[in-house]
Amino acid sequence: MANIVAIVGRPNVGKSTLFNRLIEKRQAIMDDIPGVTRDRHYGYGEWVGHYFTVIDTGGYVTGSEDKFESEIRKQVAMAIDEATAVIFVLDCKDGLTGFDKDFANVIRASKKPVFIAANKADTPDKTAHAMEFYELGMGEVFPISAENGSGTGELLDELVKLFPNEGVEDPNSGIPKISILGRPNVGKSSLLNALLGTDRSIVTDEAGTTRDAIHSHYKMYSKNFILIDTAGIRKKSKVREDVEFYSVLRSLRALEESDVCIIVLDAERKIESQDVNIISLAQRQGKGMVIMVNKWDLVEKDSKTADAFKKEIQEKIAPIDYIPIIFASALSKQRIFQVIEKAVQVFENKTKKIPTSTLNDVMLPEIERYPPAAIKGKFIQIKYITQVNARFPSIALFCNLPQYIQPAYERYLENKMREHFDFEGVPIRLIFKKK
């Protein structure tokens, strides 16, 4: 049984600050604006040899003007249901509020062990205010400062006593990561929810609903994957708020840590310059890619629409020509499993190793049929080919004059390798070395 801790409370009491403190990373976005966190957000912590999963949640509130209120409450309820124990964060500055009392009743109904964390107890005066929270009758109150860490050790000492086992250091270690990327409001969270069959991410028509990068486990063909839903990536000039700035940073970090990227386009808006930028960035970082054209069910089409759309995408992203394109709809679930199936296949292409003997048997005859052009009267001879260990397929070709290999000939070799070895969806790096 996993050790899982849910951090809950009303908005702006410091839940994300405590989450970052426990996992020792600045993973969740923190801001003074209430309601920054919306979805359930997972991280991993360790204390005195005990490993545990930490869930950060949105602020639980009723009767507010926040359009996400009911969805956030749903996410909080799921987190409590999943948890081994609950940390109920309260604010020493504000004292005990009506919202806190109402939410305490919700937590009591769950029958989960609860730890009261009286946050923002930065001074002796504020620590004295923490005594007020005993009124809830929920046991020991731990005055803490999530900002500087004071008091969190005492809280964790008691928390880990509840865990049934020592836990696993990093349950995600070695599991391939597939990130879902794109501009705001193209349907990334809808795709994640459709694949998982549950409301893992909050979905609305408002751009920027998702803020943190949301990690979810997914199983296909008896293999485990982590799906990462990300915030929409917009041009720098269009980013107005600090929160959105950090959301975009989290998305770019998710791209960096992923193995395969599903780039989601909006069929009604077609491919835009920011889509091309995201694809170029993923290509430079050696990521596998699948393009999903979402909302395909909303487009008026005939037998030539898909081909015309595909041609337009290929022209815009040229010379990148190896990315599979799938027309789908997250809402109607049309072809969404083809998308994830293709992403799994691209991951396998990205991690495949071609035996050296096979590479030489196949590619040397191709080189002999169409050798590189002589430069300054000198003939280039490629004698030996091998795949080297790298994050994505990298092929070393040993020759007498590597400096004279022309880009056009490099493209020819790459095309031949793709033709013979199926590297669909992944970039290939050719390295020419002196024999």
Side-chain angles (χ1 to χ4, degrees), residues 14 31 64 125 146 174 192 196 286 301 315 324 332 366-367 377 391 398 415:
D31 200 278
S64 77
D125 288 348
L192 179 76
L196 297 176
K301 44 194 172 289
E315 284 173 357
S332 68
E366 294 286 5
I367 291 167
R391 291 178 295 111
F398 292 86
N415 290 338

Side-chain angles (χ1 to χ4, degrees), residues 110-155:
S110 74
K111 303 280 195 291
K112 295 289 171 84
V114 182
F115 294 83
I116 302 289
N119 192 29
K120 306 182 186 177
D122 306 296
T123 64
D125 288 348
K126 288 174 186 167
T127 302
H129 292 166
M131 300 304 106
E132 184 183 353
F133 300 129
Y134 279 104
E135 188 186 321
L136 290 170
M138 299 178 84
E140 183 80 23
V141 173
F142 296 89
I144 68 162
S145 170
E147 189 70 49
N148 62 38
S150 67
T152 53
E154 290 81 354
L155 169 63

Side-chain angles (χ1 to χ4, degrees), residues 383-399:
K383 293 289 187 183
Y384 179 73
I385 308 168
T386 188
Q387 186 172 352
V388 296
N389 287 327
R391 291 178 295 111
F392 61 97
S394 300
I395 314 292
L397 298 98
F398 292 86
C399 55

Side-chain angles (χ1 to χ4, degrees), residues 36-212:
V36 169
T37 304
R38 290 170 177 167
D39 303 285
R40 304 193 311 284
H41 192 207
Y42 292 71
Y44 302 98
E46 181 271 337
W47 186 253
V48 292
H50 289 80
Y51 299 96
F52 52 94
T53 300
V54 189
I55 314 176
D56 185 20
T57 63
Y60 191 99
V61 69
T62 55
S64 77
E65 293 178 6
D66 187 350
K67 66 184 288 185
F68 300 103
E69 179 196 292
S70 64
E71 290 296 333
I72 290 172
R73 284 205 307 271
K74 220 183 281 179
Q75 295 284 328
V76 173
M78 287 179 188
I80 293 173
D81 189 50
E82 231 180 309
T84 313
V86 175
I87 297 177
F88 184 13
V89 183
L90 299 156
D91 188 332
C92 286
K93 287 182 184 174
D94 296 344
L96 191 61
T97 69
F99 281 133
D100 294 327
K101 290 177 181 176
D102 292 342
F103 189 32
N105 292 329
V106 173
I107 299 170
R108 279 193 199 96
S110 74
K111 303 280 195 291
K112 295 289 171 84
V114 182
F115 294 83
I116 302 289
N119 192 29
K120 306 182 186 177
D122 306 296
T123 64
D125 288 348
K126 288 174 186 167
T127 302
H129 292 166
M131 300 304 106
E132 184 183 353
F133 300 129
Y134 279 104
E135 188 186 321
L136 290 170
M138 299 178 84
E140 183 80 23
V141 173
F142 296 89
I144 68 162
S145 170
E147 189 70 49
N148 62 38
S150 67
T152 53
E154 290 81 354
L155 169 63
L156 288 169
D157 284 341
E158 293 305 309
L159 177 69
V160 297
K161 288 177 185 175
L162 274 179
F163 294 154
N165 52 55
E166 290 186 352
V168 180
E169 183 171 352
D170 183 1
N172 290 343
S173 179
I175 301 177
K177 296 182 175 74
I178 300 172
S179 61
I180 303 170
L181 298 161
R183 287 176 288 105
N185 220 26
V186 293
K188 299 180 295 299
S189 297
S190 298
L191 173 63
L192 179 76
N193 289 344
L195 288 169
L196 297 176
T198 182
D199 293 340
R200 178 64 185 85
S201 291
I202 294 173
V203 176
T204 71
D205 291 335
E206 184 179 310
T209 300
T210 303
R211 286 169 165 175
D212 290 296

